[in-house]
Amino acid sequence: SYVLTQPPSLSVAPGQTARVTCGGSNVGSKSVRWYQQKPGQAPVLVVYDDNDRPSGIPERFSGSNSGNTATLTISRVEAGDEADYYCQVWDSSSDHVVFGGGTKLTVL
Amino acid sequence: EVQLVESGGDLVKPGGSLRLSCAASGFTFSTYGMNWVRQAPGKGLEWVSYTPSSASYTHHADSVKGRFTISRDNAKKSLYLQMNSLRAEDTAVYYCARDLGIKVGTITLDSWGQGTLVTVSS
């Protein structure tokens, strides 16, 4: 089955840029979604189709996807961005939704 | 405003059964694919099941295949998850989530409920 690998944690100072990676075999050929989940809350879609944002999501959130790595980039990080971030794809070979293990972003 | 409200979570013994429900409002339920996603305490997200708008087929994760069944009633704007032969490892918050349906062959979970807790323990 298809596997997505994320680093468990990432720390960034306010105002800096956070890059959350998501590794998978030829993930660049798939369409990646990213979700933000704050403690005690349901996940929220922040990026879809590699680099599109739902309405209401700040432009500070962007995505890229090439080769074996997809990346969620959060520019000018704010304290309110502290959350768990999950990447997700649809694996057509198994007809399964696949999530990465999640990355906990800490704003220093 | 899109609203998804899960219910039915409870404490159940191993081997028992439970039926979760998700009531939808604020959108045309019959035109969207729907999913169940779960999250064990302190763990990451795990996709469970998917049904398209027509309910013509279903997909289930390997971990629940043969034990869980997703279904929907478009007239009642409701999604269901029948869970049988429950195990301790099924303990989780269960979310229902709408598929945005922007592209064939992809699933984008654009709206989520707040979840319902299922605890499997003797």
Side-chain angles (χ1 to χ4, degrees):
Chain A
S1 59
Y2 194 75
V3 176
L4 292 172
T5 301
Q6 298 183 238
S9 62
L10 177 66
S11 297
V12 177
Q16 299 303 303
T17 298
R19 295 180 178 85
V20 184
T21 60
C22 173
S25 178
N26 199 25
V27 71
S29 67
K30 301 181 182 297
S31 186
V32 178
R33 287 90 175 97
W34 289 93
Y35 301 89
Q36 175 194 69
Q37 186 181 33
K38 297 181 179 180
Q41 298 184 19
V44 172
L45 177 69
V46 293
V47 167
Y48 64 96
D49 276 359
D50 295 341
N51 192 24
D52 285 334
R53 284 183 311 279
S55 60
I57 301 301
E59 290 184 7
R60 300 185 298 105
F61 289 81
S62 63
S64 61
N65 186 16
S66 179
N68 294 317
T69 304
T71 303
L72 173 69
T73 300
I74 310 172
S75 304
R76 302 179 300 282
V77 166
E78 304 173 355
D81 298 331
E82 191 162 280
D84 295 325
Y85 291 86
Y86 296 89
C87 57
Q88 175 250 308
V89 299
W90 171 255
D91 178 29
S92 58
S93 64
S94 63
D95 287 334
H96 283 18
V97 171
V98 179
F99 286 101
T103 297
K104 180 177 182 58
L105 175 65
T106 299
V107 181
L108 300 171
Chain B
E1 178 194 5
V2 173
Q3 279 207 313
L4 298 168
V5 179
E6 302 93 338
S7 61
D10 204 348
L11 171 63
V12 60
K13 288 180 168 52
S17 297
L18 206 58
R19 188 195 198 205
L20 304 183
S21 299
C22 172
S25 61
F27 65 102
T28 306
F29 180 75
S30 61
T31 64
Y32 286 86
M34 297 295 297
N35 298 262
W36 287 100
V37 177
R38 69 184 180 183
Q39 187 170 35
K43 302 297 185 181
L45 301 174
E46 181 187 14
W47 171 77
V48 175
S49 302
Y50 166 79
T51 180
S53 58
S54 64
S56 55
Y57 60 88
T58 60
H59 294 309
H60 293 85
D62 294 344
S63 58
V64 307
K65 196 171 293 185
R67 301 188 299 122
F68 291 12
T69 302
I70 187 173
S71 63
R72 63 190 296 160
D73 185 333
N74 286 342
K76 294 184 177 180
K77 301 180 184 180
S78 293
L79 179 72
Y80 306 102
L81 185 67
Q82 177 66 43
M83 304 186 295
N84 299 329
S85 303
L86 282 160
R87 307 167 179 166
E89 54 264 35
D90 296 319
T91 294
V93 173
Y94 285 74
Y95 297 99
C96 70
R98 185 180 80 167
D99 175 24
L100 185 57
I102 52 175
K103 190 186 298 183
V104 174
T106 63
I107 285 185
T108 304
L109 305 173
D110 76 317
S111 297
W112 299 63
Q114 283 305 304
T116 187
L117 177 62
V118 173
T119 303
V120 184
S121 174
S122 55

